[in-house]
Amino acid sequence: MKPESILHQTKLFSGVEESRELLNGPVYELSDGNLVPQYVLGDACFPLLPWLITPYVRTNEEDSFGSAEKEFNTVHSRAMGLLHTAFGRVKARWQLLARRWKEECLEFFPFVIVTGCLLHNFLIKCNEPPPDDVVKEEELSIFEGEMDENGRRIRDMLAEHLSRNFG
């Protein structure tokens, strides 16, 4: 399945898009007065949504990014790198997370992931060294669907903020 198809079937998606139970906390005011709602960072394989912020992607080779877009993508990439490293370590420690699962067992997978993360964090607090070999993430294709205009506006505001304050 494509990542965006999986996303649409998650409780995260329904909790944000349908029931509005998740990510409905206070907004953050940027230095220029723009308001940004709570959001989750996502890879380029996911759609850009107001609550799922993905990196800027070139649609063709002639496109070039401005300084704000470059700064945003740099910060986004660093954050996603930390996330991939963390999940790689959890997968390395708990090998069953890195395997393909039988379809009849998939309903338990979210609970296994949470349990693996909790146990991993517990072992870190107990000074247990992390596994040496981190499991690498597979390369995913770039999302090619329509971009959400509110998501684009929020990402652009964040990019301008990063460029002004950190670039």
Side-chain angles (χ1 to χ4, degrees):
M1 291 178 75
K2 290 185 173 185
E4 71 265 20
S5 299
I6 296 169
L7 172 68
H8 287 283
Q9 295 178 26
T10 65
K11 288 184 181 183
L12 173 65
F13 187 85
S14 63
V16 175
E17 290 286 326
E18 296 164 14
S19 70
R20 306 279 187 228
E21 292 176 1
L22 301 174
L23 299 178
N24 60 2
V27 296
Y28 180 78
E29 185 173 352
L30 301 176
S31 58
D32 61 2
N34 283 316
L35 301 176
V36 176
Q38 292 180 340
Y39 60 89
V40 174
L41 290 181
D43 275 323
C45 63
F46 293 109
L48 174 65
L49 300 169
W51 58 271
L52 181 60
I53 305 300
T54 60
Y56 288 95
V57 177
R58 288 187 209 164
T59 52
N60 59 49
E61 289 301 316
E62 291 86 48
D63 288 348
S64 63
F65 295 133
S67 62
E69 289 87 359
K70 286 179 186 174
E71 183 68 28
F72 178 85
N73 277 1
T74 298
V75 171
H76 185 280
S77 177
R78 281 191 301 222
M80 293 303 292
L82 292 172
L83 177 86
H84 289 293
T85 298
F87 275 103
R89 287 182 178 161
V90 171
K91 283 182 176 180
R93 190 179 299 263
W94 311 109
Q95 290 293 313
L96 70 142
L97 296 176
R99 292 190 203 131
R100 279 204 164 314
W101 279 51
K102 295 178 186 174
E103 188 148 347
E104 61 268 16
C105 298
L106 284 178
E107 69 182 281
F108 300 106
F109 194 58
F111 302 106
V112 173
I113 291 172
V114 169
T115 303
C117 290
L118 290 171
L119 289 170
H120 180 76
N121 289 343
F122 173 76
L123 291 172
I124 288 172
K125 286 186 183 232
C126 293
N127 296 319
E128 181 74 24
D132 292 331
D133 48 329
V134 173
V135 176
K136 300 286 184 204
E137 293 292 318
E138 63 185 76
E139 193 70 29
L140 299 171
S141 61
I142 294 173
F143 177 75
E144 295 178 359
E146 298 261 336
M147 240 188 268
D148 181 277
E149 282 306 311
N150 284 329
R152 183 190 312 250
R153 185 182 56 77
I154 292 167
R155 181 177 64 189
D156 289 346
M157 286 189 310
L158 288 167
E160 285 298 321
H161 175 77
L162 289 170
S163 179
R164 261 193 320 277
N165 294 294
F166 304 104

